[in-house]
Amino acid sequence: MDQAEQLRNIIKKQNQKRHIARVITVTSGKGGVGKSSIAINLAIQMRKLGKRVMILDADFGLANVEIMLGIRPKYSLADVLYQGKEIKDIITSGPMDIGFISGGSGIRELVNLTREQLSVLVQKLYDLDEMADIIVIDTGAGISDSVLEFVAVSSEVLLVATPEPTSLTDAYALLKTLHQKEEFLPDNTKIKLIANRTFSEKDGRDLYSKLNVVAERFLNFELEYIGHIPNDQNISRACIQQKPILMVYPNSPASLALEQLAIQLSDTNAVVLQNKKGISQMFASLLHFRRR
């Protein structure tokens, strides 16, 4: 049994006695489809629903969440790894008192950790599980290994796509590549589609039908459709102001749709919630596969 596997077993035992956060991973097959905006606004609405919410920006390339929130965190996950910081030290306060953690170069450096650093990181992530009810992970876009690894070890994934043919193609490419990953177990991961920038409810349903048909036929797993977000110019206006749309245009069509999506996610059935891993278990799984 390797060290990462030992860590996972330790975590499983300790998680039985600890609070485990619900982790929702938000991803997309390509950039520019509104993934980060959706991640931020869903986090804010879940906070409005009374949940303790954290956002982890796992895109070490672009840091879109920082830009959209108009904040510059002093520390990142890398400071936990290399500077001895505690999890509480690297959390930046965002809108509605949601917590924000920048992955920074720490996500990329996970593969290079020593055994001692692995143990320290996973132990410290227990604290994050205790601090939050929901942790929203905003991955990078596309089918890079760093994106797919996060998705593969997640129990709950939101896949964002738009009705554009290129977005549909890229979303399927992500699912196909994910399906080829050894660590991806379809029975352990629920992938939920959000159709963004639609002009009607039918647009969203059509997008889901097209993507789900090929996923069932060629990949042998089924997606879940949880709704659509209408094309709304207020989203661009909010981005220019570096404010979440729910904060500056709360009655706009996109904001109302995001509210409904957050409520629907909050009403997720008990089976999904029973299968939640928590952030510590998720990272242990990620480290296990990276070090094989």
Side-chain angles (χ1 to χ4, degrees), residues 99-258:
F100 170 65
I101 296 176
S102 170
S105 62
I107 302 295
R108 181 168 43 198
E109 293 296 324
L110 290 176
V111 71
N112 299 319
L113 298 186
T114 65
R115 178 175 181 175
E116 290 73 21
Q117 287 171 323
L118 280 172
S119 298
V120 168
L121 174 62
V122 174
Q123 289 294 330
K124 289 185 176 182
L125 285 171
Y126 281 134
D127 294 337
L128 191 54
D129 268 326
E130 294 281 358
M131 293 176 189
D133 298 314
I134 297 173
I135 299 172
V136 178
I137 298 181
D138 183 39
T139 72
I143 58 174
S144 66
D145 285 341
S146 62
V147 172
L148 291 171
E149 286 167 346
F150 265 104
V151 176
V153 299
S154 299
S155 57
E156 189 172 3
V157 177
L158 301 184
L159 174 60
V160 180
T162 69
E164 297 175 356
T166 53
S167 177
L168 180 64
T169 300
D170 289 330
Y172 177 69
L174 183 145
L175 294 174
K176 181 179 179 180
T177 310
L178 177 66
H179 188 260
Q180 296 168 350
K181 284 275 185 183
E182 179 184 353
E183 57 266 41
F184 176 63
L185 301 173
D187 290 342
N188 295 339
T189 302
K190 191 65 179 177
I191 300 180
K192 305 174 181 181
L193 179 69
I194 295 178
N196 195 25
R197 297 178 188 160
T198 58
F199 290 97
S200 68
E201 183 176 349
K202 183 177 182 299
D203 281 350
R205 290 285 179 184
D206 287 347
L207 173 60
Y208 166 72
S209 296
K210 291 174 184 176
L211 195 56
N212 191 55
V213 163
V214 291
E216 285 188 313
R217 181 177 302 173
F218 299 109
L219 306 179
N220 198 31
F221 67 84
E222 184 178 0
L223 304 176
E224 179 182 340
Y225 180 65
I226 63 168
H228 74 108
I229 301 171
N231 194 40
D232 188 343
Q233 292 183 348
N234 289 310
I235 293 178
S236 297
R237 296 189 179 104
C239 286
I240 291 172
Q241 298 175 54
Q242 291 185 291
K243 301 287 185 181
I245 189 172
L246 277 167
M247 303 293 290
V248 288
Y249 302 108
N251 296 315
S252 69
S255 290
L256 297 177
L258 284 159

Side-chain angles (χ1 to χ4, degrees), residues 74-117:
K74 187 176 181 180
Y75 302 113
S76 73
L77 190 61
D79 293 291
V80 173
L81 301 178
Y82 302 115
Q83 302 300 325
K85 297 294 183 182
E86 300 297 326
I87 290 294
K88 63 180 178 61
D89 297 327
I90 68 169
I91 298 174
T92 302
S93 181
M96 293 286 299
D97 290 326
I98 61 173
F100 170 65
I101 296 176
S102 170
S105 62
I107 302 295
R108 181 168 43 198
E109 293 296 324
L110 290 176
V111 71
N112 299 319
L113 298 186
T114 65
R115 178 175 181 175
E116 290 73 21
Q117 287 171 323

Side-chain angles (χ1 to χ4, degrees), residues 3-27:
Q3 62 196 43
E5 183 68 25
Q6 291 174 348
L7 284 172
R8 292 170 68 198
N9 290 337
I10 291 172
I11 290 170
K12 285 180 181 179
K13 292 179 181 179
Q14 295 197 13
N15 277 351
Q16 295 174 0
K17 302 177 181 179
R18 289 177 176 264
H19 172 81
I20 302 174
R22 177 183 176 187
V23 181
I24 301 174
T25 301
V26 187
T27 193

